[in-house]
Amino acid sequence: MEKKKFKLPTAFTTLLIITVGIAFLTFIIPAGEYSYNEDGTPIVGTYEQVESNPQGLWDIFSAPINGFFDAIDIIIFVLVLGGCLGIVFETKAIDAGLSKVVFSLKGREKLMIPILMTICAIGGATYGMAEETIAFYPIVVPILLLAGYDVVTAVMVIFLGAGIGVAGGITNPFSVGIASNLAGISIGDGIFHRLLLFSLFLAFGITFVMRYAAKVKMYPEKSIVFDIKSKVEQPFKKIDPNDVADLTGRRKAVLAVFSSFFLIMVVALIPWQDKFGISLFNTLHDNIQQTPILGVVLGHISPLGEWGFGELTVLFFLGSIIIGKMYSYKEDEIVRLFLNGAKDLISVALILAVAKGISVIMTNGMIIGTILNFGEHLLANVSSSIIAPLAYLLYIPLAFLIPSSSGLATATIPILAPLADFAGVDRAYIVTAMQAGAETMNLFSPTQAVLVGALTLANIPYERWLKHIIPFVLGIILITTVVLVTLSII
């Protein structure tokens, strides 16, 4: 009889197990509360014990349902963004744009590495591009093989490129957006230090990949898959990389409009007045509202810098309609594509609900205050400069258990963000630590679906990838730690 292999539970099961564990703790941990400032930060020294409220079996099963209601604004945003992405992907504008870049660089394949990595990184940093990269391998791998590189180079260009972008975050709505909302801050908070991390990650990643690519091209036997070269390359010899969508005028327009919505999102979320004392945007907003025609047509729009998930949901809902009409899709086709795109993110939406259920149990069980009080005393003599790096290092193993960055943020930010207040650390650093830590683990985690899919497609054994990528991961850890310490000190 064949022995069954151990299989890790899904993120859903892991979160439910954590929910049960937290419910059990409500019978042990004393209940307690803090007083809070108007901005939602706990006031140091105001903790006091209150009557306990242990959470039973009914409460455990109710938690994900109540979590769904509590996170409804985020969940609707995720589904609408998924619908918008479904329409954009159907136009094949992103595939065509990438293909155009690839074929324009034929004969200059060395330049292809930094350019493609930068494009993938921008996709990862803005809209969390991950699963979509699977479609790029049939285009990129054959061309890089013809240029004298190996399949590992191609996988690194695409997978690490997108991974670097996700780790840098910038405006990724699925990690930074959700975490910022839960932390009670704007997605614009911390955007400049995420830009710094993104730039350093990208420079390091390009250097790492180009060094390996140059070595393999000069000494093919240095490839980590050299002994199985024929096996890994054979499937790609049957693929015609020229069989791709053309970058037509309409696809260029789709790319321009799609990019503009993310630009609008950034401008609308950064609290300009608070950070820079700039009133230009609010003045413009007031003039629009007071102009008879524009005021009637546009109705009420929140001032730039004050947008939340409600406004972003409207933005991408509008984007879905505009892009669908630009591509001359009929009404029923737009609806079908939108629903299919939303359906692809139902698992993310449900993970958010289950993860939010953990906070529901802690809140109803009245133990959040007690946990924060423990953290307050624990951090009393800890330098504020190491809080963010410690959070980052904590998130790396946590991401192994909860591979969904959205679920990870929802389960942990409600505790770690207030702890940052006690240490005198900006909550934006905890958000950055979360998204960078989650993606650091995803660069080599066997539970990461995108990595497993890429390695399977390229026939690269996981253990070889793991051995090869560890130096890169250690470099990412070093960069992140140094940046977070330095910025915290400054």
Side-chain angles (χ1 to χ4, degrees), residues 9-336:
T10 64
F12 287 99
T13 303
T14 301
L15 289 168
L16 286 172
I17 291 171
I18 294 173
T19 303
V20 172
I22 296 296
F24 176 73
L25 290 179
T26 63
F27 288 87
I28 301 173
I29 297 176
E33 290 182 328
Y34 273 92
S35 296
Y36 288 82
N37 292 311
E38 290 183 3
D39 61 359
T41 59
I43 302 173
V44 177
T46 61
Y47 171 79
E48 59 180 4
Q49 288 194 7
V50 297
E51 185 179 351
S52 63
N53 183 34
Q55 301 293 286
L57 193 61
W58 181 263
D59 300 304
I60 292 172
F61 285 107
S62 299
I65 310 303
N66 292 327
F68 186 94
F69 291 125
D70 285 356
I72 192 66
D73 56 340
I74 303 174
I75 289 172
I76 292 176
F77 167 71
V78 166
L79 294 176
V80 169
L81 179 57
C84 182
L85 291 173
I87 295 173
V88 172
F89 294 149
E90 180 67 19
T91 68
K92 298 190 181 299
I94 295 175
D95 294 18
L98 184 74
S99 302
K100 179 70 175 178
V101 173
V102 169
F103 293 122
S104 66
L105 291 171
K106 273 192 174 181
R108 296 172 291 168
E109 282 80 8
K110 187 175 181 179
L111 290 176
M112 192 182 297
I113 294 174
I115 291 174
L116 289 184
M117 286 190 73
T118 301
I119 292 172
C120 290
I122 292 172
T126 52
Y127 70 91
M129 182 173 74
E131 290 86 352
E132 302 81 24
T133 58
I134 296 297
F136 300 157
Y137 290 98
I139 304 169
V140 176
V141 176
I143 291 176
L144 288 181
L145 288 178
L146 288 173
Y149 302 115
D150 65 351
V151 292
V152 179
T153 302
V155 170
M156 287 197 295
V157 166
I158 300 171
F159 177 75
L160 288 189
I164 284 166
V166 175
I170 307 181
T171 61
N172 183 353
F174 299 109
S175 57
V176 176
I178 290 172
S180 297
N181 177 268
L182 293 166
I185 60 176
S186 164
I187 196 174
D189 289 308
I191 194 169
F192 297 110
H193 62 242
R194 289 197 298 274
L195 275 166
L196 173 61
L197 271 180
F198 172 82
S199 302
L200 293 174
F201 288 164
L202 184 58
F204 175 59
I206 289 173
T207 302
F208 183 85
V209 175
M210 290 192 75
R211 285 185 63 185
Y212 175 82
K215 180 175 66 174
V216 166
K217 189 167 185 175
M218 185 172 292
Y219 307 105
E221 66 276 9
K222 296 288 186 179
S223 168
I224 67 170
V225 292
F226 180 72
D227 59 318
I228 53 174
K229 179 180 172 69
S230 58
K231 176 186 175 183
V232 298
E233 293 182 4
Q234 185 60 37
F236 294 101
K237 292 179 180 178
K238 302 174 183 178
I239 296 174
D240 181 10
N242 294 293
D243 186 20
V244 294
D246 295 326
L247 186 60
T248 61
R250 282 202 296 184
R251 289 193 172 112
K252 289 179 182 178
V254 167
L255 288 175
V257 170
F258 185 58
S259 302
S260 71
F261 278 103
F262 280 94
L263 180 61
I264 292 171
M265 181 177 76
V266 173
V267 174
L269 289 173
I270 295 178
W272 300 95
Q273 183 111 11
D274 294 344
K275 289 188 176 294
F276 309 108
I278 298 174
S279 59
L280 174 63
F281 292 112
N282 288 348
T283 301
L284 178 63
H285 166 267
D286 293 340
N287 289 335
I288 290 174
Q289 298 291 352
Q290 293 169 14
T291 301
I293 296 178
L294 288 176
V296 171
V297 173
L298 297 178
H300 176 73
I301 302 176
S302 297
L304 296 177
E306 298 180 12
W307 281 30
F309 276 111
E311 289 82 2
L312 292 182
T313 303
V314 174
L315 177 68
F316 286 101
F317 177 64
L318 180 62
S320 304
I321 298 172
I322 291 173
I323 292 172
K325 286 300 181 182
M326 283 174 58
Y327 224 73
S328 300
Y329 290 135
K330 294 181 179 179
E331 173 269 336
D332 60 336
E333 186 72 358
I334 293 175
V335 172
R336 182 184 67 81

Side-chain angles (χ1 to χ4, degrees), residues 12 64 67-68 71 74-76 78-79 342 344-356 404 406:
F12 287 99
F68 186 94
I74 303 174
I75 289 172
I76 292 176
V78 166
L79 294 176
D344 290 340
L345 291 184
I346 283 179
S347 62
V348 175
L350 293 179
I351 277 181
L352 286 169
V354 177
K356 189 66 174 177
S404 164
S406 306

